[in-house]
């Protein structure tokens, strides 16, 4: 047979043998896949796909839910006119309303009140002293009191008492009653041109401006009332003080704060004088010009905001500023400083109303009205109504605005502004709060009184989150990674089988247990042992490096006595001895390096707790970031260790063997071959540990003091976003501003974790791509 014939026969036979094998394979049951296997495979494929899509949908659903919870925070006020009531002829100049917004009343220029009953007005009756006529009055919505001044210099109050009554059918009506107080003589028989009255139940004050066409006088009347467990006595005039000689210019306007202790007097020379009553004496604390830096220095209006700590000023040009009481010099009495400035009005404010629920106020000139919020320095709503206005009032529940125009028409406006304290500036920018002369970030959601100013900056919480995370990772990262490298590359497999499960069990420890341990045992233990800890942290790594170097210098015949992977048995006693010596040697270090003068005795003592504030100017607290770093690091170490050790152990053995065969040492192989190959998995371990540290709650709540501070001092506490949610949410009113602000904090935490994980995944893919050919 020729070569050509043999080749042709071989080619012809091969397909025939292949066809026979395929026929055998099809007919032999041993090589058949059961239909149920195909079915399960298809089901699991679809199940995994559906599961993956469901997880993505759940995450997006959480994001959408949180987003719609916080969206109302950034909406302005919604205002809608509901009806107009014509009051008829009359010289009505002032407007008031009950706390439910159901029974408005107007005050005529002679001070007589008229109450709206249906669509008509009903006159209210009160008794003036015989022969007296009203020359000035002021309506105080906060306590529904009208303060009257007479032509002869007398002062009296009329309390407008509203009560709900229910008919048999359940219909509610609001009734009113006028309670007239005693008239008090200011001591000067001249017409009252302006006045104000305020104070507590036992101590009250009234400031009165008196005078005719010529010069004016200002007098301060003080009142006392005995209050016992059995009730209150009669209010009596305790003193009258003439302040005229102590002001610059002719007094025109006065204000008295709700405590009755602070008095403001504005003069025709555009000066404002701040008086304060302390220990029965009246002190002039400050004289200032609200618009002294402008060409128009006039003071057109002057009114308090809720709480009577801040004053709203306008000048004739419409410039609108707020001045607040602040402690300019520590330890000295508070003074007024400019805190806010709003867009200018068309002119000086001729209408003003303040909210009784928050720091909002309604201000206007002519037909222009503007609803503004003092804390956030924002305009919530503004409009030209098209008709000049006489007065306005905000309902007691901050859900209604009433306007009285020049045609004696009463305009009702529904007000929907549930979150006036909220704005991007309030959450993420510095604000000047009442009591502070400079802008700052601050979180303080609640206070002891209704006139408290919420402080809702998330910046201290974000800083606290980063602070706790950084200190925890500084402690956890080197320990977890070095332990993973040693366990996977050097430790004897028998010991590794014990260490790995032990670390995995540590990861399951409840964080509340760790927080309890940190707050009640660790924090008190290390409070006075900081020098010992510093000495230990520095000395132990040096001791480890020294042991490694000394071990490598030993002759091989001596090192071989200890099997490879068990060297830790030799180092463990050295480690323990070094730690004990450092712990007890901290007292010596404190004596040498951390001496400070004892403030009580004046002698030099060794106390790190006093030395740290003296040198750095920052506080030293028992529950601080150092404690959190240790304990939260203890919670993060098992996660990083477990995943990093798996990544290092899964590096192909032939890579290690090849490196060692080429003469590299075990450390060189670990650092230059194993670590780069496992870098993607190690990076994933770091990101998972970082995510655990960012979202940790209970350890931070229990071990830090939970104070929202801004500094990075390791010996002070903090509050994180997650801890803030845990602490504040149980007390947050449903759908209130605090409630939605907590969701904003949750969104910030969610977005931070999402961005970190996204960047980490991109970097991990790059590392994986870079080292996949190794």
């Amino acid at each position: 047979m020729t070569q050509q014939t043999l080749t042709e026969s071989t080619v012809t036979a091969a397909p025939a043998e292949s066809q026979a094998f395929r026929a055998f394979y099809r007919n032999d049951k041993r090589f058949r896949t059961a239909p149920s296997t195909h079915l399960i495979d298809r089901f699991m494929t679809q199940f995994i796909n559906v599961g993956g899509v469901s997880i993505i949908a759940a995450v997006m659903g959480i994001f959408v839910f949180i987003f719609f919870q916080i969206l109302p925070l950034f909406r302005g006020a919604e205002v809608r006119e509901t009806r107009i009531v014509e009051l008829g002829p009359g010289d009505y100049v002032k407007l008031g309303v009950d706390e439910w917004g159901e029974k408005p009343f107007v005050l005529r220029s002679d001070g007589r009140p008229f109450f709206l009953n249906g669509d008509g007005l009903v006159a209210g009756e009160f008794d003036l002293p015989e022969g007296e006529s009203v020359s000035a009055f002021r309506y105080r919505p906060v306590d529904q009191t009208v303060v009257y001044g007479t032509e002869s210099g007398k002062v009296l109050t009329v309390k407008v008492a509203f009560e709900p009554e229910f008919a048999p059918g359940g219909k509610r009506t609001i009734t009113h009653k006028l309670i007239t107080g005693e008239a008090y003589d200011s001591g000067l028989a001249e017409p009252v041109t302006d006045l104000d009255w305020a104070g507590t139940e036992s101590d009250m004050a009234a400031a009165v401006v008196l005078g005719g066409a010529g010069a004016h006088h200002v007098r301060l009347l003080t009142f006392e009332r005995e209050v016992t467990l059995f009730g209150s006595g009669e209010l009596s005039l305790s003193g009258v003080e003439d302040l005229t000689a102590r002001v610059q210019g002719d007094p025109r306007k006065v204000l008295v704060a709700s405590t009755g202790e602070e008095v403001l007097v504005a003069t025709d020379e555009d000066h404002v004088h701040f008086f304060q009553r302390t220990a029965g004496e009246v002190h002039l604390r400050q004289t200032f010009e609200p618009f002294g830096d402008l060409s128009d220095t006039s003071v057109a209006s002057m009114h308090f905001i809720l709480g009577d700590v801040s004053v709203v000023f306008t000048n004739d040009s419409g410039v609108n500023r707020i001045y607040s009481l602040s402690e300019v010099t520590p330890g000295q009495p508070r003074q007024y400083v400019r805190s806010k400035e709003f867009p200018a009005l068309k002119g000086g404010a001729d209408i003003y109303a303040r909210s009784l629920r928050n720091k909002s106020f309604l201000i206007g000139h002519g037909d222009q009205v503007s609803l503004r919020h003092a804390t956030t320095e924002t305009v919530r709503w503004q409009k030209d109504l098209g008709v000049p206005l006489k007065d306005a009032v905000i309902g007691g529940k901050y859900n209604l605005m009433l306007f009285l125009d020049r045609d004696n028409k009463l305009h009702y406006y529904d007000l929907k502004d549930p979150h006036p304290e909220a704005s991007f500036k309030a959450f993420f920018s510095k604000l000047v709060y009442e009591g502070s002369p400079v802008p700052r970030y601050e979180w303080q959601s609640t206070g002891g009184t209704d006139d408290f100013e919420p402080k809702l900056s998330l910046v201290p919480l974000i800083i606290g989150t980063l602070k706790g995370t950084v200190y925890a990772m500084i402690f956890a990262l080197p320990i977890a990674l070095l332990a993973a490298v040693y366990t996977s590359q050097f430790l004897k497999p028998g010991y590794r089988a014990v260490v790995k499960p032990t670390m995995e069990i540590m990861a399951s420890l409840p964080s509340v247990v760790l927080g309890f341990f940190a707050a009640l045992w660790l924090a008190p233990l290390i409070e006075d042992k900081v020098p010992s800890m510093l000495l230990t942290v520095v000395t132990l790594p040096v001791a480890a490096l020294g042991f490694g170097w000394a071990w490598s210098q030993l002759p091989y015949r001596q090192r071989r006595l200890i099997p490879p992977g068990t060297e830790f048995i030799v180092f463990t006693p050295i480690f323990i001895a070094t730690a004990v010596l450092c712990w007890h040697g901290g007292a010596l270090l404190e004596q040498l390096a951390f001496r400070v003068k004892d403030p009580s005795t004046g002698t030099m003592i060794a106390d790190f707790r006093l030395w740290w504030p003296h040198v750095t100017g920052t506080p030293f607290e028992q529950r601080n970031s150092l404690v959190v770093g240790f304990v939260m690091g203890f919670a993060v170490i098992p996660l990083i260790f477990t995943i990093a050790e798996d990544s290092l152990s899964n590096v192909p053995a032939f890579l290690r063997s090849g490196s060692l065969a080429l003469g590299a040492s075990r450390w060189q192989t670990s650092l230059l071959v194993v670590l780069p190959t496992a870098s993607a998995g190690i990076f994933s371990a770091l990101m998972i540990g970082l995510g655990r540290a960012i979202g940790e709650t209970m350890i931070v709540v229990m071990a830090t003091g939970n104070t929202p501070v801004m500094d990075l001092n390791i010996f002070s506490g903090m509050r994180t976003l997650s801890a803030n949610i845990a602490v504040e949410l149980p007390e947050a009113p449903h759908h209130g501003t605090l409630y939605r602000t907590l969701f904003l904090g949750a969104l910030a935490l969610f977005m931070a974790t999402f961005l970190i994980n996204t960047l980490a995944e991109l970097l991990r893919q790059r590392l994986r791509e870079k080292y996949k050919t190794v």
Side-chain angles (χ1 to χ4, degrees):
M1 184 181 294
T2 64
Q3 180 69 27
Q4 181 178 0
T5 305
L6 180 61
T7 303
E8 291 175 354
S9 64
T10 303
V11 172
T12 304
E17 292 175 0
S18 177
Q19 291 174 3
F21 178 77
R22 285 196 295 269
F24 171 75
Y25 177 78
R26 286 194 299 269
N27 295 327
D28 195 333
K29 294 181 178 180
R30 293 177 301 170
F31 299 101
R32 292 181 184 176
T33 303
S36 60
T37 302
H38 287 292
L39 181 62
I40 293 174
D41 181 68
R42 286 195 296 270
F43 170 76
M44 292 306 298
T45 301
Q46 295 301 322
F47 183 78
I48 292 172
N49 290 336
V50 171
V53 173
S54 299
I55 291 174
I56 296 174
V59 172
M60 293 305 298
I62 293 173
F63 175 79
V64 171
F65 172 76
I66 295 176
F67 178 77
F68 279 101
Q69 288 295 321
I70 68 171
L71 193 60
L73 291 174
F74 300 98
R75 293 174 180 162
E78 297 178 13
V79 179
R80 179 176 59 90
E81 187 173 21
T82 56
R83 63 177 176 142
I84 301 175
V85 177
E86 294 191 12
L87 303 181
D91 187 15
Y92 307 120
V93 295
K94 200 68 183 172
L95 178 62
V97 68
D98 65 294
E99 62 178 294
W100 301 279
E102 298 179 19
K103 198 175 187 67
F105 65 93
V106 289
L107 295 167
R108 210 165 53 188
S109 58
D110 61 359
R112 182 175 294 276
F114 291 82
F115 294 85
L116 187 64
N117 187 12
D119 289 333
L121 292 176
V122 177
E125 297 295 335
F126 69 97
D127 298 325
L128 281 174
E130 185 176 353
E132 296 287 350
S133 60
V134 173
S135 59
F137 56 86
R138 183 185 293 266
Y139 169 56
R140 292 180 52 84
V142 66
D143 54 7
Q144 294 292 356
T145 300
V146 183
V147 188
Y148 291 94
T150 68
E151 292 286 347
S152 63
K154 290 184 172 59
V155 178
L156 74 154
T157 61
V158 175
K159 173 75 173 178
V160 185
F162 294 99
E163 291 290 340
E165 291 185 355
F166 295 90
K171 183 179 179 180
R172 187 179 74 171
T173 57
I174 305 299
T175 63
H176 68 273
K177 181 172 64 173
L178 300 180
I179 305 172
T180 306
E182 182 182 348
Y184 299 96
D185 194 348
S186 65
L188 187 64
E190 293 192 16
V192 175
T193 59
D194 193 30
L195 76 166
D196 198 7
W197 172 300
T200 63
E201 185 178 6
S202 60
D203 181 23
M204 307 196 78
V208 185
V209 178
L210 308 102
H216 292 76
H217 303 267
V218 58
R219 294 201 169 188
L220 181 64
L221 286 66
T222 55
F223 306 88
E224 293 179 350
R225 189 201 316 263
E226 185 178 0
V227 179
T228 67
L229 294 176
F230 303 100
S232 303
E234 294 294 328
L235 189 68
S236 60
L237 181 65
S238 59
V240 178
E241 184 161 351
D242 192 348
L243 304 179
T244 308
R246 302 169 67 180
V247 301
Q248 301 176 22
D250 198 32
R252 296 301 171 90
K253 303 179 182 67
V254 289
L255 285 179
V256 180
S258 57
T259 61
E261 296 177 351
E262 291 85 20
V263 179
L264 292 177
V265 180
T267 68
D268 63 346
E269 295 183 3
D270 307 327
H271 290 92
V272 176
H273 303 269
F274 168 40
F275 294 92
Q276 188 173 40
R277 295 171 53 221
T278 55
E281 297 183 359
V282 180
H283 302 276
L284 177 61
R285 298 296 188 192
Q286 183 186 9
T287 299
F288 62 99
E289 293 184 75
F291 304 99
D293 58 324
L294 303 178
S295 57
D296 183 3
T297 61
S298 60
V299 178
S301 67
M302 179 176 71
H303 300 89
F304 277 125
I305 298 173
L306 178 67
D308 293 3
V309 175
S310 298
V311 185
V312 180
F313 292 96
T314 63
N315 65 5
D316 291 337
S317 302
V319 177
N320 181 197
R321 289 176 174 176
I322 292 180
Y323 280 71
S324 302
L325 276 177
S326 301
E327 189 177 359
V328 179
T329 304
Q332 296 298 317
R334 295 185 300 172
Q335 294 186 345
Y336 281 95
V337 296
R338 191 173 79 190
S339 57
K340 305 288 191 312
E341 182 159 351
F342 290 87
L345 301 170
K346 294 180 179 179
D350 45 28
I351 65 167
Y352 178 85
R354 66 177 182 177
S355 168
L356 303 181
R357 288 288 183 95
N358 52 59
K359 301 293 182 176
S360 298
F361 60 95
L362 186 66
I363 195 168
H365 174 82
D367 64 346
Q368 181 191 33
V369 288
S370 181
L371 181 64
R372 305 178 172 194
H373 193 268
T375 303
T376 59
E377 202 173 358
T378 54
V379 177
R380 306 296 298 171
W381 171 80
Q382 186 165 305
K383 186 177 181 181
D384 290 345
L385 299 184
V387 56
L389 300 175
K390 291 182 180 179
D391 197 23
V393 68
I394 299 177
K397 299 183 181 297
Y398 194 63
N399 60 353
L400 172 72
M401 293 190 298
L402 299 177
F403 298 97
L404 177 64
D405 67 19
R406 298 288 175 85
D407 298 327
N408 286 344
K409 293 180 180 179
L410 187 61
H411 300 258
Y412 285 75
Y413 281 81
D414 278 345
L415 171 62
K416 186 178 180 181
D417 189 20
H419 311 295
E421 306 93 348
S423 69
F424 186 87
K425 186 175 181 180
F427 296 135
F428 301 107
S429 297
K430 288 184 177 181
L431 291 179
V432 179
Y433 296 105
E434 292 181 343
S436 172
V438 295
R440 59 181 177 178
Y441 302 108
E442 187 171 349
W443 173 275
Q444 188 179 357
S445 59
T446 56
T449 60
D450 292 337
D451 55 22
F452 169 77
E453 182 179 37
K455 304 170 182 65
L456 301 176
S457 175
L458 295 181
V459 176
L461 308 179
I462 295 172
I463 295 297
T465 302
L466 296 176
K467 181 179 176 181
T469 302
V470 168
Y471 287 133
M473 295 301 289
I474 288 175
F475 174 70
L477 192 57
I479 295 177
L481 287 185
L482 291 175
V485 171
Y486 181 76
T487 302
S488 64
Q489 303 303 310
F490 299 95
L491 192 62
K492 192 175 180 179
Y495 292 112
R496 187 188 309 164
V498 176
V499 172
K500 183 73 180 299
T502 303
M503 294 297 289
E504 291 173 348
I505 291 174
M506 286 174 57
S508 65
L509 287 175
S511 60
V512 67
V513 174
L514 295 176
F516 183 82
F517 162 81
L520 299 185
W521 181 78
L522 184 61
L525 176 68
I526 67 175
E527 181 183 8
D528 58 351
K529 296 293 185 181
V530 174
S532 299
M533 296 194 64
L534 294 176
L535 191 61
T536 303
V537 168
V538 173
T539 306
L540 279 182
V542 174
L545 292 174
F547 171 80
W549 176 83
W551 183 261
S552 66
Q553 300 302 309
L554 291 175
Y556 177 71
R557 64 179 178 275
Q558 296 179 8
R559 282 186 287 145
R560 64 189 296 269
L561 298 175
I562 304 297
T566 60
E567 297 88 349
F568 72 92
I569 297 175
V570 180
F571 177 64
T572 300
I574 299 175
F575 177 88
I576 295 174
T578 304
V580 171
L581 288 174
C582 291
W583 186 258
H584 292 286
L588 178 60
L589 176 63
E590 191 172 37
Q591 288 287 344
L592 296 175
F594 304 114
R595 297 182 63 82
V596 67
K597 182 179 291 186
D598 187 350
S600 59
T601 63
T603 59
M604 297 298 291
I605 61 173
D607 192 337
F608 184 87
R609 293 170 295 179
L610 297 177
W611 179 88
W612 179 263
H614 176 74
V615 173
T616 65
T618 57
F620 181 94
E621 300 170 2
Q622 184 191 76
R623 298 185 182 185
N624 52 50
S625 303
L626 180 65
V627 176
V628 172
F630 283 143
V631 180
M632 197 151 67
F634 186 79
V636 170
I637 284 174
L639 294 176
I640 300 177
F641 171 85
T642 301
I643 300 172
E645 199 276 338
D646 286 339
S647 301
L648 292 165
S649 297
N650 289 330
V651 173
F654 68 82
L655 293 176
R656 291 202 231 17
S657 301
S659 175
L660 294 171
L662 292 173
S665 66
R666 287 191 298 169
W667 271 110
Q668 288 173 326
T669 300
S670 299
L671 294 177
L672 302 178
V673 175
V674 177
L675 275 176
T677 306
S679 59
I682 293 174
F683 191 75
S684 297
L686 299 184
M687 290 302 103
I688 292 175
L690 182 66
R692 169 68 192 273
I694 290 177
E696 179 55 51
T697 304
M698 291 311 299
I699 294 175
V700 181
V701 168
M702 301 177 71
T704 64
N706 214 26
T707 306
V709 295
M710 286 285 296
D711 63 77
L712 299 179
N713 174 22
I714 193 172
F715 297 111
S716 66
M718 61 192 174
R719 181 184 287 191
T720 64
L721 288 166
S722 57
N724 189 63
I725 294 171
V727 171
E728 300 272 5
L729 191 58
E731 304 296 330
H734 188 58
H735 288 165
T737 302
L738 176 58
Y739 177 87
R740 297 189 186 277
T741 302
L742 295 176
F743 273 96
L744 179 61
L747 181 65
L749 196 61
F750 182 89
M751 292 301 297
T753 306
F754 179 78
L755 291 175
I756 289 174
N757 288 340
T758 301
L759 295 175
E761 180 63 19
L762 294 175
L763 185 55
R764 189 184 71 84
Q765 292 293 345
R766 289 196 62 181
L767 292 172
R768 189 174 181 181
E769 189 72 20
K770 180 178 180 180
Y771 293 108
K772 70 177 181 179
T773 57
V774 175

